[in-house]
């Protein structure tokens, strides 16, 4: 679990996101319902961001062959190509 995170960094994640989401972030997992900050902490800055305009204002973050879709600041879908 702590291969890339020190105990202090992990404890910080627990304070920010709670135990369940901190563990996912520390394990570099992205899951439905995660916030943009959680994804940034888990995977870093995306290679590209595509935004759609309109009331729903969704975004697609691209990490290599992984696509993460956000609506209202939360992950709503993910795909791997």
């Amino acid at each position: 679990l702590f291969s890339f995170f020190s105990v202090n960094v992990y404890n910080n994640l627990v304070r920010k996101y709670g135990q369940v989401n901190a563990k996912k972030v520390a394990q570099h997992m992205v899951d439905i319902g995660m916030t943009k900050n959680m994804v940034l902490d888990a995977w870093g800055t995306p290679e590209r961001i595509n935004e759609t305009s309109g009331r729903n204002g969704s975004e697609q973050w691209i990490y290599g062959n992984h696509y993460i879709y956000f609506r209202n600041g939360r992950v709503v879908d993910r795909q791997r190509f």
Side-chain angles (χ1 to χ4, degrees):
L1 175 65
F2 298 110
S3 61
F4 295 103
F5 290 94
S6 71
V7 172
N8 287 337
V9 171
Y10 181 75
N11 288 336
N12 235 2
L13 291 173
V14 171
R15 279 191 289 282
K16 283 169 64 175
Y17 305 131
Q19 187 73 39
V20 172
N21 285 316
K23 185 174 180 180
K24 289 178 184 179
V25 169
Q27 293 176 336
H28 306 287
M29 294 174 58
V30 171
D31 207 359
I32 302 298
M34 290 179 112
T35 66
K36 291 178 182 180
N37 284 334
M38 290 176 189
V39 175
L40 287 169
D41 283 344
W43 284 11
T45 304
E47 295 169 16
R48 195 167 82 222
I49 297 175
N50 297 320
E51 297 182 37
T52 61
S53 59
R55 286 194 330 218
N56 288 339
S58 60
E59 290 183 1
Q60 174 193 61
W61 288 12
I62 300 171
Y63 293 90
N65 63 345
H66 294 269
Y67 290 56
I68 308 299
Y69 298 90
F70 292 91
R71 188 170 298 121
N72 298 320
R74 295 212 173 248
V75 176
V76 293
D77 197 11
R78 17 169 223 193
Q79 295 179 332
R80 183 176 177 194
F81 294 98

